[in-house]
Amino acid sequence: MRLVVVGGVAGGMSAAARARRLDESAEIIVLERGEHVSFANCGLPYHVGGEIVDADKLLVQTPASLKAALNLDVRTGHDVTAIDTGRRVVKARTADGEQEIGYDALVLSPGAKAIRPDIEGLDSPRVTTLRTVDDAVSMKSSVDDGARRAVVLGAGFIGLEAAEALAIRGLETTVVELAPHVLPPLEAELAYLVTQELRAMGITVRDGVAATAIERGADEDVVVLGDGTRIPADLIVLSVGVRPDTAPFEAAGIECERGAIVVDEHGRTSAPGVWAVGDAVVSTDAVTGIRRPVPLAGPANRAGRLVADDIVRPGSARPIPTPVGTAIVRVGSLTAAMTGANRVALDSAGIGYRTLHLHPNQHAGYFPGASQVRLVLHIAAGDGRLLGAQAVGLDGVDKRIDVLATAIRAGMTAPELIDLDLAYSPPYGQAKDGVNLAGMVAANVLDDTLRLWYAEDLDDVGAEALILDARSVQEYETGHIPGSLNIAHTELRDRLDEVREAAAGRPVRVLCASGVRSAIAHRVLTQSGFDSASLSGGILTLKAALGDRADSVLTKYDRADTVLTK
């Protein structure tokens, strides 16, 4: 059998390597457009930033090493331009001219290409992407040669990693993002924490605005934004997203959906003898059922292996699992991660859900170095099935998101998280881990032991209800909602008459710092006949949701002047 694989890196090389391990007699040819067939594209920003010093460390395998270890015929500089699925032939453009290569089985792993928006001046030589080893080497050279000011267009994962790398190298860096906040898949109340970290690193964040033009100059370019802002730059990183690189295959009649190749559960395309994997393939989201490409290395690697199983051992291969979209990024001292669906995806799919906000420590609070993990969970409104989770923190984020990703894959309900037997020792976790606590909160919400209100409801709540602040007087003075009543949760049972008088028949909406004390106060109020609810995530989440508006919305007590100020 001759197996031809178009495209290396994650999906393609995984398929080729697995096929060889299953079939020593097969002729396996890998056609790669670029110079490098197997490289760590996720490590590119860290070479620019100087953490990975040697660019060769990014090369996972070479044609020579793949030939020696797996007897793979790897041909770089082969750009596949067409397929004849009837004759089972691919056409490739090479330095020696066009070649035709026949196949018995064909795996397409062309990946994606950078989206190039309609921006005047985008062809400036100072504009670069960060998708290949050559891109990283070139960008690092620009920095080494004295680049001083950088603009990163796009604040997704790669954009933020690039911005961090450039800031580490001392460049004056600006991030421009059309969406309302950085890391658009992240919920707004978590994304604001990332914005604050970027600012702490000296990075300027311009969100909710697009670049409209790049004016080329002799010594530097100027990036012009939609609001008229002009930003000088001698390095511009384009990172506004990617689209499937599938034009030759769609032209060959292979079924595509909005440019992405349609495959079945084993990666088979509409053409006989042709499979496809990776960023260029339509995937069905495991939570929402939404169909879209998922440009992540992990799913591509795993799909490549399963496609090879289907080619070499037809009938016994496991189906390719639907992705849950688990992803993680470092931004300065913070880590942000997510798995499953966010609010936008759930709303688009018409799925009813409830949202939980928690702030557990990553390990025992009494052990040195304890810090909070800001955790957001979405659970199904009916059965409490776990739909999505996101977290931001200094430490322990990856552990919680990986556990929650496993729970989503297993189809667990949120209350079942209570029973997970997770590793505990003071340096590593808590006896009630944040994941277990999330299950407890979910169980309370689902059986109406706990009723929640949310930061986005602040205006309506302020107009219709009494807001009861259950924090201490000292905490209250550091910033509170104007007009709220302050009674510490430890004093509430003895001061219920004050609450009744202030509420005057209105509902009572309680808050504290993180939602723990307000939940206790809520139980006291509910069992005393009040219409009560507790603010999800407390004032920590409220401040993050308000973002830069927090200082103007919350009232603070100025001890120096003994007056209340906004």
Side-chain angles (χ1 to χ4, degrees):
M1 178 187 70
R2 173 183 279 184
L3 169 62
V4 174
V5 178
V6 177
V9 195
M13 289 313 308
S14 179
R18 174 67 170 174
R20 170 58 72 225
R21 291 192 294 270
L22 296 180
D23 187 350
E24 184 64 22
S25 67
E27 179 186 5
I28 303 175
I29 301 170
V30 179
L31 306 177
E32 169 58 41
R33 175 191 298 159
E35 178 184 354
H36 306 294
V37 71
S38 181
F39 63 92
N41 48 5
C42 295
L44 301 178
Y46 305 106
H47 176 61
V48 176
E51 293 176 87
I52 299 174
V53 178
D54 186 355
D56 288 343
K57 296 291 186 182
L58 298 170
L59 303 179
V60 180
Q61 296 284 356
T62 66
S65 68
L66 290 166
K67 178 67 175 177
L70 294 168
N71 193 26
L72 300 179
D73 180 1
V74 177
R75 305 178 187 180
T76 57
H78 281 59
D79 183 11
V80 172
T81 58
I83 303 175
D84 186 331
T85 58
R87 295 172 53 219
R88 296 204 175 198
V89 167
V90 299
K91 295 181 180 180
R93 185 188 301 118
T94 76
D96 298 323
E98 188 171 85
Q99 296 181 5
E100 282 196 352
I101 302 165
Y103 64 86
D104 297 306
L106 177 65
V107 175
L108 303 177
S109 181
K113 58 184 178 182
I115 293 174
R116 297 186 66 85
D118 186 16
I119 298 175
E120 182 181 353
L122 198 63
D123 58 348
S124 167
R126 293 190 177 93
V127 177
T128 182
T129 57
L130 188 54
R131 295 190 56 77
T132 68
V133 174
D134 289 342
D135 287 343
V137 171
S138 175
M139 190 181 299
K140 185 174 184 296
S141 295
S142 295
V143 175
D144 293 341
D145 291 343
R148 297 175 297 112
R149 290 180 288 198
V151 173
V152 179
L153 302 179
F157 290 92
I158 299 299
L160 292 191
E161 288 171 343
E164 178 188 53
L166 295 169
I168 288 172
R169 294 296 306 276
L171 275 71
E172 181 183 325
T173 305
T174 299
V175 173
V176 178
E177 172 57 53
L178 176 61
H181 57 74
V182 302
L183 281 182
L186 202 62
E187 303 297 4
E189 61 268 34
L190 295 181
Y192 184 71
L193 305 176
V194 176
T195 294
Q196 292 292 77
E197 181 67 14
L198 291 167
R199 290 170 175 169
M201 297 170 64
I203 296 171
T204 300
V205 176
R206 296 301 312 274
D207 49 27
V209 65
T212 57
I214 296 171
E215 297 177 356
R216 295 171 60 172
D219 298 321
E220 63 184 13
D221 289 353
V222 174
V223 179
V224 183
L225 305 187
D227 61 4
T229 302
R230 300 171 61 84
I231 309 171
D234 37 29
L235 177 61
I236 301 168
V237 183
L238 179 64
S239 184
V240 298
V242 296
R243 62 165 55 96
D245 193 4
T246 57
F249 318 120
E250 192 166 14
I254 293 175
E255 183 183 357
C256 292
E257 190 174 293
R258 295 188 299 278
I261 301 171
V262 176
V263 296
D264 69 7
E265 62 181 3
H266 293 289
R268 304 171 189 141
T269 73
S270 60
V274 181
W275 288 254
V277 295
D279 299 1
V281 167
V282 176
S283 296
T284 301
D285 187 272
V287 174
T288 65
I290 293 173
R291 293 169 58 81
R292 58 184 174 85
V294 177
L296 294 171
N301 269 292
R302 295 188 290 274
R305 174 188 173 92
L306 293 172
V307 159
D309 286 354
D310 192 56
I311 293 170
V312 180
R313 295 176 175 175
S316 63
R318 291 187 299 109
I320 298 170
T322 52
V324 297
T326 307
I328 191 167
V329 64
R330 185 192 75 185
V331 181
S333 62
L334 289 183
T335 299
M338 62 193 70
T339 187
N342 61 11
R343 287 190 186 99
V344 172
L346 292 169
D347 289 340
S348 297
I351 297 173
Y353 62 95
R354 297 185 181 186
T355 299
L356 316 175
H357 298 85
L358 295 91
H359 308 277
N361 286 336
Q362 97 284 23
H363 65 229
Y366 57 81
F367 191 86
S371 62
Q372 288 181 327
V373 176
R374 302 287 189 96
L375 186 60
V376 175
L377 275 77
H378 302 303
I379 64 174
D383 60 8
R385 181 170 55 94
L386 189 59
L387 302 175
Q390 302 187 350
V392 172
L394 297 172
D395 185 31
V397 168
D398 53 342
K399 171 181 176 178
R400 275 76 197 183
I401 289 298
D402 282 345
V403 170
L404 293 167
T406 304
I408 292 174
R409 170 63 66 207
M412 293 177 64
T413 64
E416 289 176 315
L417 298 175
I418 300 172
D419 304 322
L420 292 181
D421 194 356
L422 303 176
Y424 163 63
S425 178
Y428 300 105
Q430 300 185 83
K432 293 179 182 177
D433 189 85
V435 172
N436 301 127
L437 289 172
M440 295 174 189
V441 174
N444 286 338
V445 168
L446 290 167
D447 67 11
D448 290 328
T449 299
L450 176 62
R451 184 182 175 197
L452 297 175
W453 68 281
Y454 295 93
E456 57 265 31
D457 302 326
L458 178 59
D459 290 341
D460 291 339
V461 167
E464 300 169 1
L466 169 68
I467 297 177
L468 176 64
D469 194 319
R471 296 176 297 161
S472 68
V473 172
Q474 292 77 16
E475 290 174 282
Y476 184 80
E477 291 176 349
T478 64
H480 58 268
I481 297 171
S484 58
L485 175 65
N486 178 216
I487 298 178
H489 76 292
T490 53
E491 303 173 7
L492 182 59
R493 292 178 180 87
D494 296 326
R495 299 175 63 180
L496 289 173
D497 287 343
E498 293 180 45
V499 179
R500 285 194 180 90
E501 182 179 354
R506 293 176 296 163
V508 180
R509 297 295 177 256
V510 197
L511 64 85
C512 66
S514 65
V516 175
R517 288 171 289 176
S518 61
I520 296 172
H522 164 72
R523 292 304 303 156
V524 173
L525 291 167
T526 297
Q527 294 175 83
S528 300
F530 290 91
D531 174 351
S532 171
S534 172
L535 176 61
S536 184
I539 205 159
L540 288 173
T541 295
L542 177 66
K543 286 182 176 180
L546 291 172
D548 291 338
R549 296 174 50 232
D551 285 342
S552 64
V553 171
L554 301 179
T555 296
K556 296 183 180 180
Y557 190 84
D558 188 333
R559 288 186 175 275
D561 299 329
T562 63
V563 295
L564 289 174
T565 61
K566 280 190 180 180

